[in-house]
Amino acid sequence: MMRLDSGRIRAVVRKEMRDYRRRRAIVVSMLVLPLLFLVEPVVTLFVSLKSQSASHLDQFVVLPLLYLLLIPVIMPGTLAAYTVAGEREQGTLEPLLTTPVRRQEIIAGKAVAIMIPTVALAYTVFGLFLAAVALFARAPVAAAVFRQGPTLLALFLFAPLLAGWAIVVGLAVSVRANEVRVAQQLGTLASLPIVGVVGLLALNVIHPTFTAAALFGVGLLAIDARALRIVARMFDRERLVTGTKAARYRLTARAATLGD
Amino acid sequence: MPPLLADNAPTLSGSKGQPALVVNQLTKHFGGRSAFSEVTFDVAHGEVFGFLGPNGAGKTTAVRTLGTLIAPTSGSAIVAGIPLTPENGVEIRQRIAIMPEAPGLYLRLTVTENLEYFASLYGLPHAASRISDALEAVNLADRAGDLCGGLSKGLRQRVGLARTLLSNPAIMFLDEPTSGLDPVASREVHELILGLRQKGVTIFLTTHRLAEAEKLCDRVAILNTTLRIIGRPEDLRAQLFTTALVIRTRVALRAPDQIFTRIPAVESWRSDEPGSYVLSVSDPKIAAPEVARVLVGAGADVLAIGEAQHSLEDVYLELVADDVEASRE
Ligand SMILES: Nc1ncnc2c1ncn2[C@@H]1O[C@H](COP(=O)(O)OP(=O)(O)OP(=O)(O)O)[C@@H](O)[C@H]1O
Ligand SMILES: [Mg+2]
């Protein structure tokens, strides 16, 4: 059984976050993207629901809250695109691959380094949004929002799971893409299924019941874990260095690549 | 605190006597085209081994293969005492260090931050002191806090060298460490490598600069997909070229053929320009005085008689030109 070294994973995380912090394009997009996805909930809760009677409010406040979940889905794309394709583009991937680090450690470190700022920012935005609702929304609207305990809980629980999905898809694209720009464009596809789910909720095709949410959560966790392994396997040293997949290695029948 | 580089003792590798690197019939194909083919050689501990070849000879591919970045198509190797197999990748990489063709530094991180990252990837204890020792070794201590993006190409190359020094590797692979550097920066890198050689570090150096190989390396191998020749620079010269005397006279000899064929020690002769002659001889020490006597006797004004010096460049051109001719056939 292979043992991953937490020291090396931490080293990858630290370096990645340092690098991100010093890229203006990344910092700006990490701050601007959440604002874009706040527009819909803000408009709905602060403007559209002004005239609604208090009795119907409960059914109108759930969807804008769920809409906030797009934030953790959208944000990882930029970072994930950079993380492998960017290193390849700037020529730092080869030296990294010459060190004893295992590919699983690289992938784990890079995933964590994206997860931390994404979830931190998403939670901050959720918190600020709820604080704004409590302080500035009409009293009946605020009351209706804070009656949605399960929805609010789901918001905080689903944020990392959805971010995880976006991260693994973004990493997979980044490992395969030769250019950051391509990776970035393809990476946005990660959000499509989630946008679809929110859309179906909005059209009342599916309903946000507890069972549905629980199933969705468990399914997502399983998919995230599985997909992370697939990404680690896609992370083929030979292909990343030379652009061609490792040919079968005749010396040992077992492994196809000089993996790890 | 352990010294960065122990004198004359590459530390990590196993028993004395076993070479640092054993390569046997190693071959790498990309699809149908071979990058290098059936390459066999050894590198001893403490040796600076030059891997010389023209563009596309397979040097970089060989370094990547020995560094476990890509898998060989066939053949075998033992790198720092460990057989080159897929399972041993991590262990081999732990014992060696590679500086790729481009140093590949994180430009938004400082010199120290770059080195810290690699120190932790190697799991090195006493990282801080190793980093300062490595920076000291490449004369970069005063630039430790600079962002790598602000360094010149020559300085970046030195940071790359410092990075390979960090882990005190059993073998250092340097892939064209002076490519793209100006003469001054190149010379600084050469001096660093000579310093390492003196400390007994095993270095595998690829280059297409012949003078560089001649200056730095204990032995060189000339590669052009297959290994063409291997040996000490001076032995290669002796092996490839018959010894010769070079003679210059003030005016061209009137009947050179009559003069030179008279001397038993001269096997053959040619003249590339008037007043300049190259004589093939088996022993210059016997031939030279004899030739001098005959020439003076014939009334020639001799300006110089000397042994022909063949540089490694001649060896290289001889071999590579052969290849070119062979491929034209
Ligand atoms: N990923 C690849 N796919 C196909 N062929 C490749 C690949 N990498 C290298 N080659 C081929 O293998 C041969 C050796 O290339 P390599 O880069 O090892 O040469 P080199 O000696 O390092 O040359 P240079 O002096 O230009 O650095 C070349 O013919 C090259 O075209
Ligand atoms: Mg090369």
Side-chain angles (χ1 to χ4, degrees):
Chain A
M1 185 61 207
M2 179 189 55
R3 263 189 45 240
L4 295 187
D5 181 316
S6 64
R8 289 201 287 249
I9 296 177
R10 248 179 294 133
V12 175
V13 173
R14 197 176 332 123
K15 173 257 149 192
E16 292 284 309
M17 297 197 20
R18 233 175 213 164
D19 205 17
Y20 293 151
R21 275 205 309 272
R22 295 179 193 173
R23 286 176 192 273
R24 255 196 42 198
I26 285 186
V27 172
V28 169
S29 78
M30 290 292 279
L31 294 177
V32 169
L33 279 176
L35 296 181
L36 289 179
F37 287 85
L38 271 178
V39 172
E40 202 274 352
V42 165
V43 168
T44 310
L45 292 187
F46 289 86
V47 184
S48 317
L49 291 184
K50 270 216 162 93
S51 51
Q52 279 295 330
S53 68
S55 56
H56 286 97
L57 275 176
D58 280 18
Q59 70 186 84
F60 286 108
V61 297
V62 172
L63 206 60
L65 290 177
L66 290 179
Y67 196 84
L68 290 174
L69 280 177
L70 287 179
I71 291 173
V73 180
I74 292 299
M75 281 202 298
T78 319
L79 300 182
Y82 256 105
T83 198
V84 182
E87 286 221 28
R88 221 174 148 188
E89 221 171 72
Q90 60 186 3
T92 53
L93 194 57
E94 185 170 351
L96 172 64
L97 295 178
T98 67
T99 71
V101 71
R102 291 172 194 273
R103 52 185 170 173
Q104 294 87 344
E105 291 161 350
I106 298 177
I107 291 297
K110 285 179 179 288
V112 171
I114 303 172
M115 183 65 93
I116 291 173
T118 301
V119 171
L121 268 170
Y123 281 1
T124 308
V125 172
F126 294 171
L128 290 175
F129 181 75
L130 292 178
V133 168
L135 292 174
F136 306 118
R138 283 196 308 131
V141 171
V145 166
F146 287 102
R147 265 198 304 277
Q148 312 300 324
T151 305
L152 296 180
L153 185 65
L155 211 55
F156 283 86
L157 291 182
F158 275 117
L161 289 177
L162 291 171
W165 160 259
I167 289 168
V168 288
V169 174
L171 281 175
V173 170
S174 195
V175 167
R176 277 301 159 102
N178 290 325
E179 272 180 70
V180 173
R181 222 155 28 85
V182 176
Q184 228 150 9
Q185 283 156 4
L186 288 176
T188 55
L189 296 179
S191 54
L192 284 185
I194 312 298
V195 174
V197 170
V198 174
L200 291 179
L201 286 167
L203 296 170
N204 260 325
V205 178
I206 52 174
H207 305 280
T209 63
F210 178 78
T211 330
L215 283 176
F216 184 63
V218 172
L220 203 54
L221 191 63
I223 290 172
D224 285 358
R226 184 91 196 95
L228 196 61
R229 280 169 188 234
I230 294 174
V231 172
R233 217 167 316 136
M234 283 166 59
F235 194 88
D236 177 85
R237 275 189 155 75
E238 174 148 356
R239 206 187 54 74
L240 288 170
V241 168
T242 67
T244 49
K245 178 106 184 70
R248 204 154 289 283
Y249 190 20
R250 272 197 231 140
L251 292 180
T252 58
R254 215 160 63 84
T257 69
L258 288 166
D260 301 319
Chain B
M1 213 172 301
L4 185 65
L5 295 162
D7 277 4
N8 283 324
T11 46
L12 269 167
S13 52
S15 55
K16 279 244 154 82
Q18 193 195 24
L21 187 59
V22 181
V23 178
N24 189 14
Q25 297 287 305
L26 205 65
T27 299
K28 175 66 185 178
H29 295 303
F30 288 110
R33 126 190 269 151
S34 73
F36 58 85
S37 191
E38 309 203 328
V39 170
T40 299
F41 62 89
D42 287 359
V43 176
H45 282 290
E47 187 172 31
V48 177
F49 187 82
F51 214 50
L52 204 60
N55 293 126
K59 305 182 294 291
T60 298
T61 308
V63 167
R64 287 172 172 171
T65 306
L66 294 172
T68 80
L69 294 187
I70 62 184
T73 309
S74 62
S76 64
I78 299 174
V79 182
I82 307 170
L84 181 69
T85 64
E87 305 80 61
N88 291 341
V90 172
E91 214 182 326
I92 290 176
R93 291 197 298 275
Q94 184 75 51
R95 295 193 183 193
I96 64 173
I98 302 178
M99 184 162 85
E101 263 171 307
L105 305 171
Y106 295 98
L107 302 183
R108 286 178 178 75
L109 303 191
T110 66
V111 171
T112 303
E113 286 166 347
N114 267 280
L115 298 184
E116 272 173 358
Y117 184 36
F118 277 73
S120 29
L121 292 176
Y122 281 95
L124 302 176
H126 316 292
S129 71
R130 276 171 187 266
I131 290 169
S132 64
D133 287 354
L135 287 176
E136 204 71 59
V138 300
N139 303 322
L140 269 183
D142 53 332
R143 308 298 289 265
D146 288 21
L147 287 181
C148 286
L151 299 181
S152 71
K153 200 164 179 183
L155 293 186
R156 286 183 197 178
Q157 206 73 2
R158 285 204 252 160
V159 179
L161 271 173
R163 194 178 60 195
T164 56
L165 287 173
L166 280 178
S167 58
N168 195 5
I171 310 173
M172 277 175 74
F173 290 88
L174 307 179
D175 195 357
E176 300 198 21
T178 59
S179 76
L181 299 191
D182 68 37
V184 176
S186 292
R187 202 164 77 194
E188 281 168 359
V189 170
H190 288 167
E191 264 145 33
L192 288 171
I193 293 171
L194 287 173
L196 295 173
R197 173 176 164 176
Q198 223 144 48
K199 289 179 175 143
V201 181
T202 310
I203 298 178
F204 184 97
L205 174 100
T206 81
T207 180
H208 52 236
R209 296 195 186 181
L210 302 135
E212 179 169 291
E214 196 152 27
K215 177 171 164 192
L216 302 177
C217 300
D218 298 306
R219 278 191 312 147
V220 298
I222 297 181
L223 179 82
N224 202 3
T225 309
T226 55
L227 206 61
R228 310 288 311 171
I229 198 168
I230 184 166
R232 285 146 35 98
E234 55 270 33
D235 292 345
L236 294 193
R237 263 185 262 129
Q239 194 176 330
L240 265 157
F241 296 97
T242 51
T243 41
L245 289 179
V246 179
I247 293 159
R248 280 178 37 239
T249 54
R250 199 167 59 78
V251 290
L253 299 172
R254 225 169 300 134
D257 198 48
Q258 279 179 20
I259 298 174
F260 293 137
T261 48
R262 240 174 39 213
I263 309 170
V266 175
E267 290 159 3
S268 67
W269 72 278
R270 66 170 204 274
S271 172
D272 297 331
E273 52 186 301
S276 171
Y277 307 89
V278 180
L279 316 184
S280 293
V281 298
S282 46
D283 189 345
K285 287 190 185 62
I286 295 174
E290 212 174 309
V291 169
R293 270 194 301 273
V294 173
L295 283 173
V296 171
D301 293 339
V302 178
L303 296 178
I305 295 184
E307 209 174 321
Q309 287 294 323
H310 287 290
S311 67
L312 196 56
E313 181 153 4
D314 298 319
V315 177
Y316 176 88
L317 288 175
E318 177 89 9
L319 285 169
V320 175
D322 275 1
D323 283 358
V324 172
E325 274 156 32
S327 69
R328 280 206 196 103
E329 276 165 16

